[in-house]
Amino acid sequence: MTENPTAISRAEEARAVLEMVLALGRRADKLLAMMAQEAELNTPAYNLLRLADHKGNAGMTVSEAAATVGIRPQALSGAVGEMVREGLLSRDVKSEDRRARILRITDEGRRRLAQTAPFRDSLVEMVVDQAPQLSVARQVLRTLEEAIVKATEK
């Protein structure tokens, strides 16, 4: 059996996929910026608000939030203070460790996130219309995410 000389190697295919992932990351950054604008926030504040919403009533410490967004807790404290003043987040003393603060989303924070719902819904509709094999896409993206996590943990 002869090999097809026009077929690209798996390594070349993987490089092409990686380039697509990097381009997708840049486009995702743009998408997040657009959604943040819809919520009348800057992108880091929008991401923090989304994270707080995801954590729900359990909330999260400033350290946990900082680790998730990839910055030092000290770098996050100014943004958190501003968001608390705007009524988007609450900051309470953690009962087990009085030094730690628990961040939770407020009703106003949820209202701001809800402002992005029409934009998100239209994006979901486009994905549903254009990607018939969503379960396959999820598996591929999960595999890529695992590879990226491994590569960035070094």
Side-chain angles (χ1 to χ4, degrees), residues 7-19:
I8 62 172
S9 73
R10 286 186 54 79
E12 290 169 324
E13 218 167 9
R15 281 186 200 91
V17 167
L18 180 58
E19 285 304 315

Side-chain angles (χ1 to χ4, degrees), residues 46-117:
Y46 177 72
N47 282 331
L48 182 57
L49 203 56
R50 287 182 61 236
L51 180 59
D53 187 49
H54 179 73
K55 293 292 184 174
N57 289 336
M60 63 190 161
T61 65
V62 173
S63 296
E64 291 168 339
T68 302
V69 297
I71 60 174
R72 294 187 342 256
Q74 299 84 344
L76 191 60
S77 64
V80 166
E82 180 65 26
M83 292 176 76
V84 168
R85 281 188 293 281
E86 288 184 33
L88 303 173
L89 292 175
S90 67
R91 180 174 42 197
D92 304 307
V93 175
K94 188 174 182 180
S95 57
E96 316 82 71
D97 179 357
R98 311 253 339 131
R99 295 170 296 164
R101 302 288 181 259
I102 297 290
L103 302 176
R104 291 184 182 88
I105 191 168
T106 64
D107 289 341
E108 175 61 16
R110 283 188 192 89
R111 187 192 68 73
R112 286 281 191 93
L113 285 182
Q115 290 177 210
T116 68

